[in-house]
Amino acid sequence: MDIEALFKKLLSADWFVKAFKFIKSNRIFVRALSLCLTGLLAVVISIVAVGITLGFDVEYSGKIIATVQNTAVFENAKSIAAKNISTEDAYDNIQTPRFALTVTVVDKLDSAAAVADAIIENTGDFVRATALSINGEQVACVTENDLSLLLEARRTAFYIKGAQNAASFTDKVETKSGYFLKSEICDISEAEKLINSLSVKTVSSVTTDVTVPYTTKEVKTNTQPCGYNEVTTAGKNGLTRKVETVETLNGSEKSRTKVSEQTIFTPVTKVVTIGTAPVKLSAAEKANVTSAGFICPIAKGKFVVTSYYGDGRNHKGIDLGADYGVAIFAAASGTVTYAGYRSDYGYSIVIDHGNGIQTKYAHASILCAGVGEKVSQGDMIAAVGNTGYSTGNHLHFEVIVNDVRVNPAPYIGLN
Ligand SMILES: [Zn+2]
């Protein structure tokens, strides 16, 4: 059958004639129907073209945070989010949301990664923070990120000024920044307290300049008279530079090791030249004998009385303050029975004058007579000094009568 024959058969068919008649008599209905069909077609076309689909709104803490194709997407997102949150049990702390069926377009469906971001950033359960760990254990978590400043301040707190320092915590201290559960966050002051109780070991290289005091040497010369006392070389302090390694724990010294010691200046010994040539008492003074038969043991004008006999302290002699080296003369003739050093009297001499009378001369710098030597009144026997139990250059003079120390002042004309 050819096409033309088929067409003629179709036109002459009974159903076609009926349909044609129906269309002719119900034009409005048919127009409406065709409009409906056209609309339906348009809807189908747009569903296919735009990608309208069913999905689920994710409601978390009363807030829609994402739209997902199915609940499995959220489960994936939960795993991704847990990996990006620093809190250890983050996965268990992500709430189970409510899923509400919704119509949406494919483009508006969120990926697992996007939902993970939304869990972290839009739920309010997690915040950016820094955690402090001591020996692997998290002890504090703060939103302020100035833990490093606090840690550095603590670590360097025990530096020794002017030294080369290195310091470290004795515990393993770490910080980690990231997202943490809001409930983990503590106040910065709490973290500060923990940081300030950390133990710090400090090793410092300390350089110290140490003064080495000069020593004094006395040089005696018989080319100068007794009483001559001259600094012939000025003393000068030395200086030593010492480098030490000092280890401290929280500022308390644990060890100190000398690394080096260098002499910057060598001290210069002070030299004092002292005359020892005996001095003769002037004839006038020699002639100035008291009624007791004594002369004053130090020339007039060369001394002042600094303490009399008794003196409220049971003083058993008289003190004549004089310059170092001033000559001491025998108050009367006699035999030297003692000449030596004692811790109390220092360099001292005792002369026996006979008839139970003795004189003692103490705290001398030098002695010019020896035991057994016979001395005449006015002979130089010693020089003033500050030896033994003495606090300044002076002669302590005693007169002993029958082993009793009496007031010497009347004997030498000083009362
Ligand atoms: Zn005295």
Side-chain angles (χ1 to χ4, degrees), residues 144-409:
E144 295 91 341
N145 198 6
D146 46 8
L147 286 185
S148 57
L149 284 176
L150 291 173
L151 284 166
E152 191 56 8
R154 175 65 182 170
R155 192 182 68 80
T156 60
F158 306 105
Y159 274 12
I160 295 173
K161 213 176 162 190
Q164 278 184 296
N165 300 285
S168 58
F169 295 117
T170 57
D171 292 309
K172 190 179 172 201
V173 178
E174 291 164 302
T175 59
K176 185 181 182 184
S177 292
Y179 286 98
F180 289 86
L181 261 180
K182 212 172 191 175
S183 58
E184 281 182 284
I185 304 302
C186 71
D187 197 74
I188 186 80
S189 63
E190 216 171 292
E192 194 173 0
K193 209 180 285 173
L194 285 164
I195 288 169
N196 286 339
S197 66
L198 285 168
S199 277
V200 181
K201 184 186 169 186
T202 308
V203 180
S204 310
S205 178
V206 183
T207 303
T208 324
D209 283 347
V210 184
T211 298
V212 184
Y214 63 80
T215 52
T216 302
K217 193 170 81 178
E218 283 183 358
V219 177
K220 288 173 182 172
T221 174
N222 59 9
T223 62
Q224 295 288 353
C226 266
Y228 175 86
N229 170 15
E230 208 60 61
V231 176
T232 42
T233 307
K236 200 178 159 199
N237 287 335
L239 194 70
T240 298
R241 187 157 294 163
K242 208 162 58 171
V243 179
E244 293 168 302
T245 299
V246 179
E247 280 189 12
T248 63
L249 185 67
N250 300 329
S252 120
E253 190 173 315
K254 293 292 159 198
S255 74
R256 185 177 279 263
T257 318
K258 191 161 90 179
V259 178
S260 66
E261 197 173 80
Q262 187 193 357
T263 301
I264 308 296
F265 306 118
T266 307
V268 177
T269 304
K270 176 181 173 180
V271 180
V272 181
T273 302
I274 292 162
T276 58
V279 176
K280 298 275 182 216
L281 190 61
S282 72
E285 290 214 54
K286 233 176 191 175
N288 197 12
V289 180
T290 65
S291 56
F294 282 48
I295 59 160
C296 190
I298 296 179
K300 291 264 165 58
K302 295 259 174 139
F303 69 89
V304 286
V305 178
T306 52
S307 183
Y308 280 96
Y309 182 83
D311 197 24
R313 58 181 177 105
N314 201 22
H315 189 217
K316 294 296 186 186
I318 190 166
D319 290 347
L320 309 182
D323 286 343
Y324 184 95
V326 162
I328 300 169
F329 304 101
S333 301
T335 308
V336 175
T337 54
Y338 175 85
Y341 184 87
R342 280 176 51 157
S343 60
D344 49 358
Y345 287 115
Y347 285 110
S348 53
I349 275 191
V350 177
I351 302 172
D352 186 354
H353 305 289
N355 301 320
I357 299 172
Q358 294 169 287
T359 48
K360 180 183 270 185
Y361 312 77
H363 309 306
S365 56
I366 53 162
L367 302 177
C368 310
V371 174
E373 205 173 302
K374 292 204 183 311
V375 292
S376 298
Q377 189 172 51
D379 280 357
M380 182 176 172
I381 51 163
V384 170
N386 186 29
T387 58
Y389 187 69
S390 170
T391 53
N393 292 318
H394 78 287
L395 165 67
H396 169 88
F397 177 70
E398 291 178 6
V399 174
I400 304 150
V401 180
N402 297 325
D403 294 329
V404 176
R405 291 176 289 178
V406 299
N407 181 8

